Amino acid sequence: VLGGYLFGIFADYFGRVHTFSLTIIIFSIFTGACAFADNVTHLNILRFLAGLGLGGEYGIGMTLVSETWPAAKRARATAGVAMGWQAGAVLAAILAAVVLPDYGWRGLFLVGVIPALLAAWARHGIKEPPMWVKRKEMKKELAARKERGETLTAEEEEQLEEAKKFPLAHLFASPSKTVTTLSLTVMTSVQNFGYYGIMVWLPMILLKEHGLTTKSMSGWMIVTVIGMIAGIYVFGYLCDRLGRKIPYLIFYICAAAMVYIYVNLGTPVALLFGGAFLGFFCNGMMAGYGTLLSENYTTDARSTAQNFIFNTGRAVGGFAPAIIGALAQSHGFSAAFALLSCVYVAAAVNVLFFIKDTKGTVIR
């Protein structure tokens, strides 16, 4: 979360590609360093440092894609980024199966150094988005003219003041922008709350209440991730075709229904295939956040907005396992997941009344 806040601002000031490369290097080096941890305290410190890099990657990557792709295909492009998240989860599981038996957990962490090679490719193979470069040059030129004593037009003065504003201030620049920022934060909070709540507790439910074995859980995970990937693809397609609001409303309502239905299923087959539908609706919405956040903020604060809003949602979502666990202990898992259904319904109401449809927006 802290890395997201910090590097989001850095990317708006110093460039997307430079900062993106730095986050990859930080994440990779400190992940690999975990292989040499002597105790849990050392491991926690290294995980914290790795997390700084990981927190920055998401928003900067989404910003790069959003500022590069045309508006008509923007949601499908950010969906591709979100699908990479799930592909990474599958790859990690495969690596664990291959590396752990012979090299143990230290060997597995050591593999985490490999993505540092991507930083070199990103640094030299990706160019800064033209709109960021143009904005930076405009700010530099206007500041130089003003320093020389030239009189700027009212429009130029306004552009310079806007460009010089601290990136985070853009998110709360007016009452309407503040409402938008808070509403988007609610959406990302629900996304993370649902994801962490489901992915942490559902395996426990399946093991303890339905008698599934650890081996059979692998099948559940695979089917669920496939459902997530399919949901992300479909959601991105719908966003480009129908706009931003309608897909979110459909998926929130379906997610609310699917969570409630799923915890009341009883047979192994139903639980297996139900996991695909659960992943489809609950995680498919990941496709739209990169697009929606990009279209509500300008180049001066786009990366900051992406990382601040999504990582604030990540911070809120981090409490999901504890909250759902406490409710499950006192009232049972069905009651706990009924609350999660209500959270998705509340998110739909938030979208209906407070989120504008930004389809077709030409970002600047």
Side-chain angles (χ1 to χ4, degrees), residues 109-125:
F109 272 121
L110 201 56
V111 175
V113 175
I114 294 175
L117 298 174
L118 291 173
W121 169 77
R123 178 66 185 84
H124 298 287

Side-chain angles (χ1 to χ4, degrees), residues 238-276:
L238 291 177
C239 272
D240 281 336
R241 293 299 300 271
L242 305 178
R244 313 317 185 208
K245 289 186 68 164
I246 293 176
Y248 269 108
L249 291 171
I250 293 172
F251 271 61
Y252 275 134
I253 296 302
C254 289
M258 197 61 226
V259 167
Y260 184 78
I261 291 170
Y262 192 80
V263 293
N264 291 290
L265 296 176
T267 67
V269 174
L271 291 166
L272 180 66
F273 289 99

Side-chain angles (χ1 to χ4, degrees), residues 69-81:
W69 283 70
K73 297 180 180 179
R74 190 175 293 139
R76 276 169 284 183
T78 56
V81 178

